[in-house]
């Protein structure tokens, strides 16, 4: 039997035991990855890894994100501890977003996945097209 499956099964058993039953709601992997799974999260993390941005700058950088989704995604990233929101006492107040130390450490790992996605995008699209052709 594949050792990766055994290791995952063991980990899942540990997570289940931590909650006193069959619930995987407290699975550390699911809990953390879920926060990065949003449509815009990885893109915003990549932008903030380059430099801090004001809200309006992020909105212009990613023009197809709605103001509501940008606000919600930044809020979620801030809640998870990846993004710092700083309000400057100007008239009107300006807000700047930057990565926290936790966010930078997470982005180090995420960056490998983003690079893999760029490198393999054509292969994934071809696989999808081939699969879809067999389903029609």
């Amino acid at each position: 039997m594949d050792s990766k499956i055994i290791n995952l099964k063991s980990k899942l058993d540990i997570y289940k035991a931590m909650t006193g039953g069959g619930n995987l709601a407290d699975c550390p992997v699911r809990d953390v990855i879920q926060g990065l799974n949003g449509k815009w999260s990885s893109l915003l993390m990549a932008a903030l890894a380059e430099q801090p941005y004001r809200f309006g700058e992020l909105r212009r950088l990613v023009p197809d994100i709605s103001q509501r989704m940008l606000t919600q995604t930044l809020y979620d990233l801030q809640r998870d501890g990846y993004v710092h929101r700083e309000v400057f006492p100007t008239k009107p107040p300006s807000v700047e977003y930057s990565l926290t130390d936790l966010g930078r450490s997470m982005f180090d790992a995420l960056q490998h996945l983003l690079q893999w996605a760029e490198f393999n995008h054509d292969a994934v699209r071809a696989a999808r097209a081939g699969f879809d052709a067999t389903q029609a």
Side-chain angles (χ1 to χ4, degrees):
M1 186 174 238
D2 188 348
S3 64
K4 290 181 182 178
I5 293 172
I6 293 169
N7 288 336
L8 177 61
K9 183 182 180 332
S10 297
K11 286 182 182 183
L12 292 175
D13 288 343
I14 291 168
Y15 301 151
K16 288 177 187 177
M18 289 169 45
T19 62
N23 187 353
L24 287 175
D26 290 331
C27 170
V29 174
R30 279 183 35 190
D31 187 39
V32 171
I33 298 299
Q34 181 177 330
L36 298 172
N37 200 26
K39 181 177 181 179
W40 304 105
S41 299
S42 59
L43 184 62
L44 293 175
M45 290 293 296
L48 294 172
E50 295 173 0
Q51 68 182 49
Y53 280 99
R54 293 190 332 234
F55 185 89
E57 292 173 321
L58 285 170
R59 183 87 164 88
R60 287 186 292 280
L61 183 66
V62 188
D64 52 338
I65 189 172
S66 70
Q67 182 170 333
R68 180 183 175 281
M69 280 309 304
L70 178 57
T71 300
Q72 184 63 53
T73 304
L74 288 168
Y75 177 85
D76 292 342
L77 292 170
Q78 185 181 358
R79 181 175 180 259
D80 285 345
Y82 303 135
V83 170
H84 172 72
R85 179 180 186 267
E86 185 171 356
V87 179
F88 295 97
T90 59
K91 300 248 187 215
S94 59
V95 178
E96 184 177 83
Y97 296 89
S98 60
L99 290 186
T100 62
D101 289 341
L102 182 63
R104 279 188 289 282
S105 72
M106 186 278 300
F107 186 75
D108 288 342
L110 179 62
Q111 184 175 2
H112 294 287
L113 179 59
L114 297 178
Q115 289 171 346
W116 182 92
E118 287 179 17
F119 183 76
N120 290 287
H121 184 239
D122 290 340
V124 171
R125 289 178 62 135
R128 287 176 185 161
F131 180 85
D132 292 348
T134 65
Q135 301 301 305

